[in-house]
Amino acid sequence: MDNDGRSLRINGVDGINLTPLSKADENYYRPTELKAFDDTKAGVKGLVDAGITEIPRIFYHPLEEDDSGETQIRIPVIDLEGVAKDSLKRKDIVEQIREASEELGFFQLINHGIPASVLEEMRESVRRFHEQDTEVKKQFYTRDLMKPFVYNSNFDLYSAATTNWRDTFSHASAPNPPNPQDLPEICRDILVDYSKRVMEIGKLLFELLSEALGLNPNYLNNIGCSDGLAFVYHYYPACPQPKSTIGISEHSDTDFITVLLQDHVGGLQIRHQNKWIDVCPVAGALVVNIGDLMQLITNDRFKSVNHRVVSKHEGPRISVAGIFSTLVLPSNKLYGPIKELLSEENPAIYRETTVRDFSIQFRSDGLGTSTLKHYKLNQAEV
Ligand code: OGA
Ligand code: NI
């Protein structure tokens, strides 16, 4: 690599030009550098492998001074032990889930039934995929989100204002399970096994969330909240200048709920009353959060809360998000605020939408904009 950090050698290819952060250069033209980065097909990890000591300017996104407030608030850790057999325990669990979903929009689950060894193998497989030979990994690199298996860096690279310090692969898992042949052999078995287990947890969570809303336990599963499930597998490389960039920009999730597996590194934060709260890693736990579609159907009772991942010197950080949504699959089903939850004092504040329409809106907005606001009914008309 050239010592000015400019001309990088990536995957054996010389001469990839990315302006380093400290270089004031009037020739810097962001779109060209985004394309150069995309063309490497080696992601952020490729830059780190090339030995950069400064982040390229395309990744520049300083954290604001007042961004990290101190707070005593902790994300609740909810123990699912006994949820199926002990009705008193179940009542207590439902109450904890209700409170967390109404206030923070985030909680952690322990004793959820997935053994620690499976969680560990899941994280290790994500690492194996991202750390395999670049020439092999490159074959999966694509921006075509309709492909059964997608690996790239920054799905919104050309539309987002901020380029994130993160690489990702993804696939859908329900209602149409992937053909195993379409999944990379290096992690195929665990992807299939893990997705079945997350589906089971999702079905249970939708029961508990239904009960928390005072509805029949099958309500949310019956209206299709668990019909769709997709996975994104993130790899956040160690970052030489973590305060100058971000792992994942502030955003809310567009789905019904997200079930997230993280590792010990940390960095996930949620915005609460304009302070950032850490979602501290808890060994063996899964993080659950309410998405925009759940906020919409509960008429704002459950909150879809903004969150982000800060970069660190430490890394890589690995996470797996299970996204309960059919995303852009064709769908005619309309979702609006649940009638049973509405009253004269609590009229509908959103109009109905299909999951597909909602997801297309999100994809065109990119990470960091509120999809929900497009569906707010004009208060004056209510
Ligand atoms: C996401 C997300 C957080 C994480 O994929 O939507 O917020 O910890 N991920 O990777
Ligand atoms: Ni998210």
Side-chain angles (χ1 to χ4, degrees), residues 146-158:
M146 299 319 282
K147 286 254 171 77
F149 183 91
V150 173
Y151 150 63
N152 63 35
S153 184
N154 288 266
F155 76 93
D156 52 2
L157 185 70
Y158 294 107

Side-chain angles (χ1 to χ4, degrees), residues 232 234 236 248 251 253 260 268 307 309 317 319 321:
V232 292
H234 300 301
Y236 301 82
I248 193 164
H251 69 282
D253 293 352
L260 180 97
L268 174 61
H307 51 283
V309 175
R317 172 179 185 270
S319 69

Side-chain angles (χ1 to χ4, degrees), residues 10 22 34 54-55 115 141 153 158 163 165 236 257-258 261 263 295 307 312 331 334 354 361-362 370 375:
I10 291 172
S22 63
L34 291 175
E54 246 190 275
I55 63 167
Y141 196 91
S153 184
Y158 294 107
T163 309
W165 195 258
Y236 301 82
I257 60 169
T258 304
L261 169 67
D263 65 11
Q295 179 166 337
H307 51 283
K312 299 208 169 198
S331 64
L334 284 171
T354 63
Q361 182 68 52
F362 165 73
S370 161
Y375 297 88

